[in-house]
Amino acid sequence: MPQLLLEFFSEEIPARMQPRAEADLERLLSAALKEAGLGWETFSTFAGPRRLGCVIEGLPAETEAVREERKGPRTDAPEKALDGFMRGAGIASLDQCETRQDKKGEFYVAIIDKPGVKTADVIASAVPDMVRNFPWPKSMKFGEGTKAQRWVRPLQRIVCVFGGEVVPVEVFGLTAGNVTEGHRMHGPGPFTVTDFADYTAQLEGEGHVLIHRAAREKLILEGAKKVCAEAGLELIEDAGLLTEVAGLAEHPVPLLGQMDPDFLDLPPEVIQLSMKTHQKYFAVRDPKTGELAPNFVVVANQEAPDGGVAIAAGNARVLSARLSDARHFWDNDRKTPLSEMVASLDKVTFHQKLGSVADKVERVAALARELAPAVGADPDLAERAARFSKADLVSEMVYEFPELQGVMGRYYVMEQWRNPPSGPSRPAARAPQDEVDGDNKVPHPEVRPEGASKGEGLTNLSESEAQQIADAIRDHYKPQGPSDAVPAAPVSAAVALADKLDTLVGFWAIDEKPTGSKDPFALRRAALGVIRILLEGQFRLRLRPIGYQSIFDLGWWRYFRATGLETSKIKESFDYKFADSAKQALIDEAIQSQSELAGFEDAIDTIAYAQEKALDLLAFFADRLKVHLKDEGISHDVIDAVFALGDDDLVRVTNRARALQGFLDTEDGKALLAGYKRAANILRAEEKTDGEGAFEGELDSDYAPAEAEEKALIAALESVRPAAAKAVGAEDFEGAMAALSQMRAPVDAFFDKVTVNDKDGMLRRNRLRLLAMIRKAAHTVADFGRIEG
């Protein structure tokens, strides 16, 4: 069957756009061909610096002919109805119709024969529309009139060959042909092609172009490892950089360059990031020491006559200039006391409704101190680490390299612990996240760690304590993705949890939650981060009180700030264990000083609001936990069933859900679930008459079971209920499931042999109570009513 070869040849396509462009090309063209009724065997795409294309194997020469029948009006219908039917069916005469009979009488059926359409014509129609509406993240406009284009870069040629013949697609004033170009220097061409095999052979041969990204990535990786090994060095692999570089070179040639070894005194993350971000170089390490080597690998797009010596030297000069800038930032930042950086956070707005980053630091520090015991951290170290955690946001290095937030903070803490800064300091740089709100900014107290001085309050720490604080500053942003490690050290975990929980609580308090696919503040990632830290560290933490108390505090904090009260009084009254009397005194002063403040009555409702938002936030955590546990095979309804009991300890919830899913996957579990649902359905129907909860409670003292199956069920319930409750209390959820499994046979037998709605009132009442006991026993573990199936 015929093959379609399609190529769009243009000026350089940004590397980061190429993978998505391949996916969009396949999606759009597939949709157009399917709509026309075409099928195919294989569809593959390719992209490079100057081309985007695809090859489709197994397309038919034309679409299938279609015979369509359209039912019309009765044969004795009015003339206007018949005329309308013919127009709609696209027929000129009723002679083109058949007459058929049904119980209502005789009616017309239009027979419409649609001949097949040549696939080449379908392609010629579909491709121009696809090109004009191609969803590039950013595109350029160029040309005028019929030649006006909107494409990622100026489009120069189109190759469109179907079954060995050119399909003359016309778009942007260009007419498709069968001619393409190769590498600019080594094999520009042009090359006339007949199919994809010919296209590949010519371009990868005389054209010196590797068409597929995977092939370029393989060549780059193997070549980079080879040049490093020849010099006794080791390549530091970077999958993201490899993909990007493969999109920059059609004929990649890895070269080993040398950098000035004096720059190795910079933090290695700075060197690697400068190489990767600005220059697209791979870093290299010395395998003997594991440290960075004064070398790099650059990928050229040509085979130079001198073997790449001049290219490597030129790139080394550019890298030196970049690293000179980095050294300047590094030296300046080390001269600035961390206390000044922390105080400068006052000028950086976190969110207009949530105050500055300094406000956030205050909240995170208080919460980190409260969380510390739960994760085994020292409360003082956790609070101090939190107070320093955002300091590097106003450093020059992080302003230049935002990706190094946290990383640089760690270096500054250790540097200033070893060498306290002295002499005059310069103003801290503006952070990249700056959005200064001017007159609308909420005032807040100066943020300076207790005991801070030019020594930053670090000199009184042991090296181990300073290291814990430094590591916490580096790690508190983690995890930033599913493959990122979670902070395991206690102080790091405390600060990371506090930072993420404060962010979630804050945005829930101001009702800025994720909607649909939009999540501008990365709240889903923050929630998953909290989940992973708690589960991987097995940290026992109740989320609802934290959410409630934090939202409550945040509401009053914002209100008191608006009243203009002395911030020292606010700080004294607002910790997570404040006395009601202290809070009430502050409230009374706020009322007295700002009685006319609009919206104060609404502020009084903070308690109810906090409760509502805390429950909503807990539901959000439940949704994120479903996503996290999906790969384990735990269904969403099982998570719902466990959360329905009101538990908010994610470790316990997860353990219970795992045990429940395992139980439901067994025959005993499936049978018991069916029995539970039958009991619940009967109770639901009878409670409509007798009232909700009418059958809760113990059996009547004078009740005498009439059937053996009743006696067996009563005996099973007397055994299972305490056993399941005891196991749940000990968090032995597998044991609880094992206890529940003992009810399967008695429940099945009860429903087989016993009539629940007996005419005898006492029998009916007590048998319904038995069903309520079954339901209650199951609810010891989870709300089985929320489980599907």
Side-chain angles (χ1 to χ4, degrees):
M1 298 179 77
Q3 173 201 85
L4 171 64
L5 170 63
L6 182 64
E7 180 206 62
F8 301 101
F9 185 85
S10 68
E11 294 184 14
E12 273 68 12
I13 303 171
R16 67 183 183 280
M17 296 185 186
Q18 292 171 23
R20 176 178 166 180
E22 287 188 62
D24 287 336
L25 174 61
E26 181 173 2
R27 175 177 58 84
L28 294 173
L29 188 53
S30 293
L33 297 178
K34 285 179 181 177
E35 186 177 1
L38 290 170
W40 54 88
E41 295 173 1
T42 61
F43 192 129
S44 58
T45 59
F46 55 90
R50 296 198 296 160
R51 68 197 77 230
L52 169 66
C54 67
V55 57
I56 307 178
E57 300 282 359
L59 279 168
E62 62 179 31
T63 63
E64 292 183 0
V66 177
R67 183 180 178 86
E68 179 183 343
E69 294 186 358
R70 184 175 300 184
K71 183 178 179 181
R74 290 171 54 179
T75 55
D76 59 353
E79 187 175 346
K80 286 187 177 181
L82 295 173
D83 289 342
F85 166 62
M86 288 189 291
R87 284 195 303 272
I91 58 177
S93 169
L94 291 174
D95 294 337
Q96 297 174 253
C97 298
E98 295 180 357
T99 58
R100 296 180 186 174
Q101 187 83 25
D102 64 8
K103 62 182 180 180
K104 293 183 179 180
E106 196 173 41
F107 59 92
Y108 287 111
V109 175
I111 306 300
I112 305 169
D113 290 315
K114 294 182 179 180
V117 179
K118 291 184 178 180
T119 301
D121 293 338
V122 174
I123 294 167
S125 174
V127 170
D129 184 63
M130 179 189 70
V131 171
R132 293 189 188 96
N133 297 286
F134 203 83
W136 293 106
K138 290 185 179 180
S139 55
M140 297 175 62
K141 293 181 180 179
F142 35 88
E144 297 180 356
T146 58
K147 296 184 178 181
Q149 296 187 26
R150 179 186 286 275
W151 195 247
V152 62
R153 295 292 185 270
L155 195 59
Q156 297 175 342
R157 292 180 184 271
I158 301 175
V159 171
C160 189
V161 178
F162 177 67
E165 300 294 329
V166 172
V167 180
V169 172
E170 292 188 11
V171 62
F172 298 151
L174 296 173
T175 301
N178 59 353
V179 177
T180 188
E181 298 180 28
H183 190 277
R184 275 199 174 97
M185 298 178 61
H186 297 311
F191 302 100
T192 301
V193 299
T194 57
D195 57 21
F196 186 62
D198 183 35
Y199 174 88
T200 303
Q202 292 197 63
L203 282 185
E204 295 191 350
E206 189 178 345
H208 290 80
V209 171
L210 275 180
I211 297 170
H212 293 288
R213 181 171 61 252
R216 296 194 298 272
E217 289 182 5
K218 181 180 179 182
L219 188 150
I220 292 169
L221 185 59
E222 291 177 352
K225 288 181 176 180
K226 181 180 179 182
V227 296
C228 289
E230 290 172 350
L233 301 171
E234 184 179 65
L235 180 74
I236 298 178
E237 296 185 32
D238 186 322
L241 179 59
L242 178 62
T243 298
E244 184 172 9
V245 172
L248 296 173
E250 290 186 312
H251 185 74
V253 180
L255 302 171
L256 184 67
Q258 291 186 323
M259 58 176 273
D260 186 341
D262 289 343
F263 288 117
L264 290 179
D265 63 350
L266 288 170
E269 294 90 346
V270 173
I271 297 173
Q272 287 183 251
L273 193 61
S274 184
M275 287 181 178
K276 175 180 178 177
T277 304
H278 292 143
Q279 303 306 128
K280 315 304 178 190
Y281 303 162
F282 291 90
V284 176
R285 70 165 65 93
D286 184 340
K288 297 177 182 177
T289 63
E291 304 292 334
L292 283 182
N295 299 87
F296 60 89
V297 173
V298 59
V299 178
N301 193 29
Q302 59 175 299
E303 295 179 1
D306 63 354
V309 174
I311 294 175
N315 280 276
R317 289 192 295 271
V318 176
L319 179 60
S320 291
R322 291 289 188 182
L323 294 179
S324 293
D325 291 341
R327 183 188 294 284
H328 173 72
F329 303 144
W330 171 241
D331 290 343
N332 280 351
D333 288 338
R334 288 187 296 169
K335 296 174 185 176
T336 305
L338 277 172
S339 61
E340 291 190 16
M341 290 189 184
V342 172
S344 295
L345 295 174
D346 181 21
K347 302 179 179 66
V348 185
T349 299
F350 175 63
H351 188 280
Q352 184 178 5
K353 295 181 181 179
L354 296 173
S356 66
V357 174
D359 289 321
K360 178 175 176 62
V361 165
E362 282 288 308
R363 298 192 299 267
V364 172
L367 185 52
R369 185 176 190 86
E370 290 300 312
L371 297 178
V375 299
D378 182 302
D380 291 334
L381 290 181
E383 179 180 357
R384 187 171 294 189
R387 292 191 182 281
F388 286 127
S389 62
K390 308 295 182 184
D392 64 352
L393 294 181
V394 293
S395 67
E396 292 187 10
M397 190 70 84
V398 172
Y399 182 70
E400 180 70 14
F401 300 106
E403 301 93 333
L404 292 179
Q405 61 181 6
V407 173
M408 295 313 302
R410 178 185 182 280
Y411 281 107
Y412 297 146
V413 164
M414 294 309 298
E415 175 71 18
Q416 295 191 17
W417 177 78
R418 296 187 183 97
N419 305 297
S422 59
S425 63
R426 47 86 185 164
R430 182 173 67 87
Q433 296 89 341
D434 260 36
E435 294 179 10
V436 179
D437 197 26
D439 296 336
N440 294 324
K441 254 180 52 58
V442 181
H444 75 282
E446 179 184 5
V447 181
R448 183 180 293 273
E450 188 174 340
S453 63
K454 284 188 177 180
E456 299 304 315
L458 296 171
T459 53
N460 61 336
L461 297 173
S462 68
E463 183 173 4
S464 172
E465 291 171 330
Q467 189 74 49
Q468 290 180 64
I469 289 175
D471 289 346
I473 293 170
R474 177 195 62 198
D475 295 340
H476 83 280
Y477 292 106
K478 295 181 178 180
Q480 293 188 317
S483 60
D484 195 13
V486 302
V491 175
S492 300
V495 179
L497 284 170
D499 183 51
K500 292 169 177 58
L501 286 170
D502 175 77
T503 297
L504 289 161
V505 162
F507 284 105
W508 246 254
I510 62 174
D511 207 23
E512 290 278 0
K513 299 178 291 185
T515 56
S517 61
K518 296 181 179 179
D519 187 10
F521 304 110
L523 301 181
R524 293 188 179 98
R525 185 176 70 188
L528 280 172
V530 170
I531 290 169
R532 287 189 58 199
I533 293 170
L534 292 177
L535 296 187
E536 295 186 29
Q538 290 293 292
F539 299 131
R540 311 306 296 269
L541 201 64
R542 292 196 59 203
L543 292 177
R544 182 159 45 189
I546 294 171
Y548 162 71
Q549 189 67 69
S550 299
I551 293 171
F552 181 85
D553 290 355
L554 186 61
W556 279 108
W557 186 293
R558 291 174 59 211
Y559 173 72
F560 290 142
R561 293 290 176 82
T563 66
L565 289 175
E566 293 181 23
T567 54
S568 60
K569 293 183 179 179
I570 300 173
K571 185 176 180 181
E572 289 170 4
S573 297
F574 273 83
D575 58 46
Y576 284 79
K577 295 179 180 176
F578 55 76
D580 289 340
S581 58
K583 182 194 298 181
Q584 188 59 52
L586 200 59
I587 292 172
D588 292 342
E589 186 174 347
I591 295 172
Q592 185 175 2
S593 62
Q594 294 287 337
S595 58
E596 74 284 359
L597 184 66
F600 178 75
E601 292 181 358
D602 293 337
I604 297 297
D605 293 331
T606 302
I607 294 177
Y609 183 80
Q611 290 174 333
E612 174 192 344
K613 293 299 179 183
L615 287 173
D616 191 40
L617 180 56
L618 187 61
F620 181 71
F621 272 109
D623 287 339
R624 294 297 92 199
L625 186 62
K626 294 174 190 176
V627 174
H628 182 67
L629 297 179
K630 184 178 180 181
D631 291 341
E632 293 187 28
I634 300 177
S635 62
H636 64 91
D637 52 333
V638 168
I639 302 294
D640 286 336
V642 173
F643 264 106
L645 300 185
D647 200 352
D648 56 357
D649 179 339
L650 295 188
V651 173
R652 186 165 55 233
V653 165
T654 301
N655 292 340
R656 191 188 298 245
R658 286 169 176 159
L660 179 56
Q661 185 68 63
F663 176 58
L664 292 173
D665 290 340
T666 66
E667 290 303 317
D668 283 346
K670 293 173 184 176
L672 185 60
L673 176 61
Y676 168 90
K677 288 189 175 294
R678 186 172 178 181
N681 289 337
I682 294 172
L683 285 169
R684 190 180 303 111
E686 298 305 313
E687 285 175 344
K688 291 179 181 179
T689 303
D690 294 60
E692 187 174 353
F695 307 108
E696 298 294 337
E698 297 301 319
L699 301 175
D700 292 342
S701 58
D702 56 346
Y703 169 58
E707 305 289 346
E709 289 76 14
E710 285 180 87
K711 297 177 183 178
L713 180 57
I714 292 170
L717 286 168
E718 289 176 349
S719 170
V720 167
R721 290 168 63 188
K726 181 178 180 181
V728 168
E731 298 190 15
D732 176 13
F733 299 115
E734 287 79 8
M737 301 304 163
L740 287 183
S741 68
Q742 297 174 24
M743 291 203 304
R744 175 192 175 178
V747 168
D748 288 347
F750 178 83
F751 282 123
D752 287 342
K753 301 294 184 181
V754 177
T755 301
V756 176
N757 281 311
D758 195 275
K759 294 179 181 179
D760 185 308
M762 175 178 284
L763 288 178
R764 173 182 176 273
R765 182 172 62 252
N766 284 279
R767 287 171 180 175
L768 287 170
R769 285 179 179 173
L770 284 175
L771 299 190
M773 290 177 182
I774 294 172
R775 181 172 63 183
K776 189 173 182 180
H779 285 188
T780 305
V781 174
D783 184 350
F784 276 61
R786 294 177 181 264
I787 300 173
E788 299 174 0

